[in-house]
Amino acid sequence: MDDPRARRLFGDSLVAPGDLATSPFRVDRDRIVSSPFFARLGGVTQVISPGGAGLLVHNRLTHSLKVAQVGRAIAERLAADPRYADVLDKLGGCDPDVVEAAALAHDLGHPPFGHLGERVLDQLARQRLGLRDGFEGNAQSYRIVTSTEIRGQATIGLNLTAATRAAILKYPWTRRTHPAPHPRFMDPPPRGAAAPPDDPDGGSLKFGAYTTEVEDMVQARLPFAGRVADWQQTAEASVMDTADDIAYAIHDLEDVHRVGVLQQGSVAAELMAWQRSSFREVPDEDLTDAQRRPGTSIEALRRQLHRKDSWISDDEAFAAAVEHVRAELVDGLLAEAFDGSLDAEAQVAAFSANWTRRLVESIEVTDAPAVRSGHVLLAPAQWHEVQVLKFVQNRFVLARPDLALHQRGQARLLGSLVEALLAWLADPDETERLPRRIRDLVELAEAELPEGTPDRIYRARGRAVIDFVAALTDSQAVALMDALSGRSRQLWTDAFVL
């Protein structure tokens, strides 16, 4: 086990009968895409619920495929660049197959209704069910590939190599305890490691594994010990994370343009007002009071980047990024409303391809990254451009009242569904009629909790219900709640869920 390349396979089984590939990392990829958890992502919201969009929009499955595509392109480009050969070797390697597999797996744990579902399940898990780890989509993905996925007769996960499991870990720490000292106490903390503003004692906002999977996480990262810091991503995880950022910044804009949500006028007013006015002189409190005035929101972004990412934030690069996005997005993609024509589709495809190529070609590698960065990162100019693209999405789509109205209903549905399933589990007359999958998940959760744990049965049921609901598609969650509330007249039989 002295060969670091061999150690990257640590914990992996031999290629099993039925696996189509012979490379262990390609076997990882094949196991992921053949998982029912991967298939269900086709029914899980990315940004806009597929059921209400009318036209084809990204879901978690197509998003994962594009992250894999971008991630592989980055990894192959880096592998062909002699400037980075030595540093990548010292970091433990950057295999395109590993990056692709990790990208395909990174969203397996995302629950119904996208990030909204993640927030709702976390709140329910911590406040209603007393689960200190709560719920986190990245940690749920890791739980799926290591423990809750069904293969044969045992819940052994997907049996992936150490390299792929380590590459899935965007946030290689638990919520509160590992590693010690915990990265949330660093100044500044790594991206995602800080506690939520409304809960300073709640542990990290983002984390990669629950305490039940911490031993597996330690094992997966063992080949990289001494190569990357214990709180730092592997090079392959850093590529996957960067690819995820690129896909989110570009491809989700395609969706909101297709459905007519992103309007040229409002985006143009915001960006051009900032370019023409001197907002930098406005005190913070006055900026907050004038937040509805065009230009103030993007000025708030500039200040936020200075506070959080002073290691790279630069005013000239920010101004150049605003101008580039204005020219390419406002005067380009948004200049004409999407009408479904071949010309409109070609314009969307060209926008996506040009931006993806520009960002992939800007990727750099460093052996000494800033705390809030990974070893693989965008060049400063393109980093600022991605921040502005993500701002457009957050400001003009995610902050819309009509989306908030829709999401409040989804949040209530998830809360009601969790309560209904808990009541079913607690009914002594229904023990033998419970869905087999819920019973399996309860048994798994009980086995993870030591004897003598306070409220052990209650907590095991809570974790089982959270795991169960998190594995539903959007439509399955709606249909199951309709059945449990008596609103459905159809016998609801989904073999994967029940």
Side-chain angles (χ1 to χ4, degrees), residues 2 4 11 20 91 142 147 162 166 187 226 243 253 273 297 308 349 388 394 396 462:
D2 291 334
L20 301 179
L91 294 172
Y142 200 76
S147 62
D187 186 19
L253 284 177
S297 294
K308 289 189 173 183
V388 176
N394 293 334
F396 297 104

Side-chain angles (χ1 to χ4, degrees), residues 26 107 183 211 230 423 464:
R26 292 191 180 187
D107 268 352
T211 53
D230 57 6

Side-chain angles (χ1 to χ4, degrees), residues 40-41 43-46 60 107-122 135-138 140-141 144 210 414 466-474 477:
R40 70 168 275 274
L41 294 179
V44 178
T45 293
Q46 171 66 11
R60 286 280 163 185
D107 268 352
L108 290 180
H110 264 282
F113 312 126
H115 288 294
L116 167 81
E118 190 176 14
R119 292 193 300 271
V120 171
L121 290 184
D122 179 49
F135 178 87
E136 209 281 337
N138 293 280
Q140 193 72 13
S141 294
I144 285 169
Y210 300 122
L414 286 178
I466 293 296
D467 284 345
F468 183 84
V469 172
L472 300 173
T473 65
D474 294 8

Side-chain angles (χ1 to χ4, degrees), residues 123-204:
Q123 185 179 43
L124 288 168
R126 288 186 294 121
Q127 299 179 10
R128 170 70 174 85
L129 303 173
L131 304 176
R132 280 178 59 81
D133 275 348
F135 178 87
E136 209 281 337
N138 293 280
Q140 193 72 13
S141 294
Y142 200 76
R143 181 169 173 81
I144 285 169
V145 302
T146 57
S147 62
T148 63
E149 168 65 288
I150 305 296
R151 284 183 70 85
Q153 299 301 312
T155 54
I156 60 171
L158 295 182
N159 201 18
L160 307 179
T161 62
T164 296
R165 284 180 285 138
I168 294 171
L169 293 164
K170 285 187 185 182
Y171 312 102
W173 53 82
T174 63
R175 185 162 213 148
R176 301 171 184 273
T177 58
H178 180 85
H182 195 272
R184 73 180 184 279
F185 299 119
M186 296 173 65
D187 186 19
R191 185 167 55 94
D198 59 344
D199 188 8
D201 299 321
S204 290

